Amino acid sequence: MRVSALTVLVLGVATMAAAQTTAHWEYRGKDGPLAWGKLAPAYKACSQGHEQSPIDIRGAHLNKALQPIEFHYRAGAVTLENNGHTVVVHVAPGSYIVANGVRYELQQFHFHHPSEETVKGKFSDMVIHLMHKSADGQLAVIAVRLNEDRGDPNATLAALWQHLPATAGATDQVTDAVNPGGLLPADRGYWNYMGSLTAPPCTEGVHWFVFEQELSISRAQLNAFAAIFKMNARPLQDTHGRRIEANE
Ligand SMILES: [Zn+2]
């Protein structure tokens, strides 16, 4: 079923945003990543920031003071939206994490093909970014890398993949409850660094938590996403000497 109320809301927000300082952008061509910083004044951080994401993860320092992330995700109905850049999965309120003493509410999660972040120069086939916000406006992203292999197919991905909206602006609702916790690897060891949103406006001050363990994705699932988004990953950014830490 098409969710007309959500569509109206999304169009409303898009219209409001257009009145502010947003601009059309792409992953390729004249409105591609190298131009983002010039497309709108609000996108300046994309070209002038020194804390941009994604980055290549290497040389992490072990920091035993980093605590395991507490996940308090709950199952609920979700709506998938193709926003022209990715498929965004909108979740019901109530899911949150606690990361190093700060509570962040899960707002949405989405996918990139291939992965944006690399580990010692190696890309994964895809990545999930779970976007969270604290009460005082701090952003935290959990990144779960997906690798095509012969491992067990992920049931949560399989449920979502039946509802991937193929065209920009389209939405689809999953009425069976989906628990985003089904998208987390068994081993919760992570790398942590300070970065940014990986799409305009490239806002900085984002707490990144990249899981060390990858999840499996099947060839068929990979092909299904690639048929919609052949490439929706921002190129790697300079670390400018940023420190990367590992919690285990
Ligand atoms: Zn992302």
Side-chain angles (χ1 to χ4, degrees):
M1 160 190 143
R2 298 286 181 255
V3 187
S4 55
L6 179 73
T7 306
V8 168
L9 176 68
V10 167
L11 289 174
V13 170
T15 306
M16 268 163 44
Q20 297 165 2
T21 46
T22 64
H24 173 81
W25 59 270
E26 296 280 350
Y27 281 104
R28 292 177 191 274
K30 70 173 175 54
D31 294 336
L34 291 176
W36 288 355
K38 297 183 209 108
L39 296 176
Y43 296 174
K44 208 157 67 174
C46 301
S47 57
Q48 295 183 9
H50 282 71
E51 204 177 68
Q52 290 289 294
S53 295
I55 59 169
D56 180 38
I57 293 171
R58 65 172 71 219
H61 301 266
L62 178 64
N63 180 355
K64 288 183 175 172
L66 287 177
Q67 296 160 18
I69 298 166
E70 283 177 35
F71 286 90
H72 301 271
Y73 286 172
R74 58 165 70 155
V78 299
T79 300
L80 285 75
E81 179 202 358
N82 179 327
N83 68 3
H85 302 297
T86 185
V87 173
V88 180
V89 181
H90 299 279
V91 299
S95 288
Y96 67 95
I97 58 170
V98 178
N100 298 299
V102 181
R103 173 173 167 152
Y104 301 88
E105 307 294 323
L106 177 64
Q107 309 217 299
Q108 49 102 328
F109 58 93
H110 61 262
F111 308 91
H112 298 274
H113 171 257
S115 70
E116 297 198 299
E117 46 285 276
T118 56
V119 177
K120 293 178 182 158
K122 184 184 173 293
F123 286 90
S124 300
D125 292 311
M126 287 187 66
V127 68
I128 309 171
H129 287 160
L130 297 124
M131 312 298 287
H132 305 75
K133 197 175 200 175
S134 70
D136 66 353
Q138 291 190 74
L139 301 173
V141 186
I142 304 278
V144 181
R145 296 170 302 134
L146 305 175
N147 199 32
E148 191 219 317
D149 60 25
R150 294 192 181 84
D152 292 335
N154 181 282
T156 306
L157 271 190
L160 295 171
W161 251 232
Q162 293 174 18
H163 299 273
L164 288 179
T167 55
T171 61
D172 198 352
Q173 196 168 30
V174 185
T175 45
D176 290 342
V178 171
N179 191 329
L183 298 170
L184 303 175
D187 185 328
R188 304 282 167 82
Y190 63 81
W191 294 293
N192 172 231
Y193 78 96
M194 289 304 294
S196 74
L197 299 180
T198 64
C202 308
T203 309
E204 299 194 328
V206 177
H207 299 261
W208 277 87
F209 300 93
V210 179
F211 278 131
E212 296 178 23
Q213 189 176 44
E214 294 173 300
L215 281 189
S216 294
I217 184 166
S218 71
R219 170 72 62 94
Q221 287 172 331
L222 198 53
N223 288 345
F225 192 89
I228 304 172
F229 293 103
K230 192 175 173 199
M231 195 288 288
N232 66 337
R234 186 188 194 190
L236 290 168
Q237 304 295 303
D238 195 323
T239 65
H240 293 287
R242 268 172 289 172
R243 186 176 172 88
I244 303 169
E245 295 188 326
N247 81 318
E248 62 176 44

